[in-house]
């Protein structure tokens, strides 16, 4: 089948590449000429495990094409995926200008029936706006061309996106016509030959499903962070509590890990957007407003612990070196959008600290996002080098290479053996038995 994917960011590139790997003829379209040229040369705009080899394989195999020409890219396509960015605006709503600009171009260029798919995360009612924009352009051309707009939200985890797409636990299809629904089910059938997992529904329900899913997961994270703060107040250990409640099958262990807050491109944006949409429809999402407030506060928890540590020792943070492991908002990605590390670093620097940081993939991104602090931050290629001569260390992202470090070596590298564990990865008992001071999240 011939597929066009407009937008070669995180979602668009994964979608296009995975469909191409199933034998489809896929055209990925983007206005960014430098990005398109890089992709043709095997240079990825993002880090995502396994994606680069798939892109190169399918591009060299002639199944995956990259172009800036939308007219050429849409020619002959049966499916058109809209996968451009929908960044949050200041009021929390999703910015649809790029989505609607693409819809306008589609209306200007299609010549026969197409299924147009909203793959970008968009608020309720966006499919209607896309349909109206396309129809407006068709009317200007005085042509009568049938088309359908489908909502097909993505549920890709950064760091495991290729596997998520190839082996989906469900595919949500929001369609108002049987023709579009059947075509979409057939398109995805190759990914689950044994157990069909397409869930078909109306368009608006599909649009809500994406926001509801991410809001539920964000709620679980903020709930556990609330409980971790409560545990510190009453002398309990959140890790024991986590095991106790996770064993309840109605709750489970997923997304009940306390830490320094959620970040990335999905949870923060989607929670803000659904709160804003609810207000526009005369409803207040009180629970999700609290989820967002808790998360914003949680991002400062670890920085506050470090500042308080030095205050208790009657020391200023001025000139103190803090060794940080991890900058990305989660492991297996270089994404630092809404990353807790940004809040933590900014707060420590404002208190007078100097930062020594390591991350396996996010250093380039960190230099861009924290460029105003370049004289206060040093980046290191090796994790232990980032700790040498530092007053204390802090773990911000639970990359695998940080999980079982050589603590004897760390003890010799640090000026004082103090570990601030923002992800509760380390054994507090082991570290204290070996002469460390340990500060986790909600730990005894």
């Amino acid at each position: 089948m011939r597929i066009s994917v407009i937008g070669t960011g995180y979602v668009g590139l994964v979608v296009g590449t995975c469909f191409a790997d199933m034998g489809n003829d896929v055209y990925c379209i983007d206005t960014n000429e430098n990005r398109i040229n890089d992709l043709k040369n095997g240079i990825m705009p993002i880090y995502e495990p396994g994606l680069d080899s798939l892109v190169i394989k399918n591009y060299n195999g002639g199944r995956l094409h990259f172009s800036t020409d939308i007219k050429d890219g849409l020619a002959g396509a049966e499916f058109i995926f809209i996968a451009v960015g929908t960044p949050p605006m200041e009021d929390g709503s999703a910015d649809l200008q790029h989505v609607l600009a693409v819809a306008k171009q589609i209306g200007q260029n299609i010549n026969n029936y197409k299924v147009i798919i909203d793959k970008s995360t968009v608020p309720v009612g966006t499919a209607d706006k896309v349909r109206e924009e396309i129809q407006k352009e068709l009317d200007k051309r005085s042509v009568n061309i049938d088309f359908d707009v489908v909502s097909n939200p993505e549920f890709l985890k950064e760091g495991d996106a290729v596997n998520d797409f190839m082996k989906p636990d469900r595919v949500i299809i929001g369609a108002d016509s049987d023709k579009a629904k059947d075509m979409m089910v057939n398109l995805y059938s190759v990914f689950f030959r044994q157990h069909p997992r397409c869930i078909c529904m109306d368009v608006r329900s599909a649009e809500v499903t994406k926001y509801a899913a991410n809001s539920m997961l964000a709620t679980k994270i903020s709930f556990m962070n609330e409980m971790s703060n409560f545990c510190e107040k009453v002398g309990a250990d959140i890790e024991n509590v986590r095991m106790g409640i996770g064993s309840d099958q109605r709750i489970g262990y997923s997304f009940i890990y306390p830490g320094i807050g959620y970040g990335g491109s999905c949870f923060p944006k989607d929670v803000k957007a659904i709160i804003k949409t609810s207000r526009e429809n005369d409803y207040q999402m009180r629970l999700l407003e609290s989820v967002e407030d808790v998360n914003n506060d949680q991002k400062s928890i670890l920085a506050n612990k470090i500042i308080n540590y030095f205050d208790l020792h009657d020391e200023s943070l001025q000139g103190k070196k803090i060794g940080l492991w991890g900058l990305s908002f989660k492991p297996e990605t270089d994404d630092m959008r809404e990353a807790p590390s940004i809040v933590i670093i900014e707060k420590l620097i404002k208190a007078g600290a100097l930062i020594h940081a390591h991350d396996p993939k996010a250093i380039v991104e960190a230099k861009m996002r924290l460029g105003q602090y370049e004289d206060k931050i040093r980046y290191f290629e090796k994790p232990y080098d980032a700790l040498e001569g530092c007053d204390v260390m802090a773990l911000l992202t639970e990359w695998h290479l940080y999980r079982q470090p050589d603590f004897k070596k760390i003890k010799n590298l640090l000026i004082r053996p103090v570990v601030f564990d923002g992800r509760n990865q380390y054994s507090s008992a082991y570290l204290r038995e070996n002469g460390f001071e340990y500060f986790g999240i909600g730990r005894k």
Side-chain angles (χ1 to χ4, degrees), residues 201-213:
M201 59 186 71
D202 62 278
V203 172
R204 290 203 167 206
S205 294
E207 290 172 333
V208 172
T209 298
K210 169 65 174 182
Y211 282 107

Side-chain angles (χ1 to χ4, degrees), residues 107 131-141 147:
R131 186 181 296 107
E132 290 168 5
E133 195 67 34
I134 294 172
Q135 190 60 54
K136 189 189 304 181
E137 294 304 315
L138 293 176
D139 291 343
K140 288 179 182 178
R141 294 166 56 193
F147 66 94

Side-chain angles (χ1 to χ4, degrees), residues 175-279:
D176 291 332
S177 82
D178 289 338
K179 180 178 181 179
K181 181 193 72 175
D182 292 343
M183 288 179 66
M184 290 293 293
V185 169
N186 183 54
L187 176 65
Y188 275 103
S189 63
V190 68
F191 295 106
F192 32 77
R193 298 293 293 274
Q194 293 181 336
H195 304 287
R197 293 186 179 131
C198 284
I199 302 174
C200 297
M201 59 186 71
D202 62 278
V203 172
R204 290 203 167 206
S205 294
E207 290 172 333
V208 172
T209 298
K210 169 65 174 182
Y211 282 107
N214 281 349
S215 295
M216 172 61 82
L217 298 176
T219 299
K220 292 183 74 173
I221 293 170
S222 281
F223 172 79
M224 284 305 291
N225 284 332
E226 278 273 75
M227 292 306 300
S228 71
N229 297 332
F230 175 69
C231 284
E232 288 193 11
K233 296 293 185 181
V234 300
D237 191 315
I238 190 62
E239 289 302 307
N240 293 334
V241 174
R242 180 180 66 81
M243 295 297 291
I245 67 173
S247 59
D248 186 329
Q249 293 182 359
R250 297 170 300 173
I251 298 172
Y253 290 103
S254 297
F255 289 86
I256 62 167
Y257 292 87
I260 50 179
Y262 59 77
S265 63
C266 294
F267 291 2
K269 181 183 72 171
D270 292 356
V271 170
K272 290 178 188 294
I274 197 168
I275 290 172
K276 179 64 166 58
T277 302
S278 71
R279 288 173 182 164

Side-chain angles (χ1 to χ4, degrees), residues 390-408:
C390 287
D391 290 86
V392 300
M393 74 163 287
L395 175 73
L396 305 189
T397 313
E398 63 276 32
W399 286 90
H400 284 178
L401 80 164
Y402 301 149
R403 291 191 175 181
Q404 289 186 317
D406 184 342
F407 282 110
K408 290 182 180 178

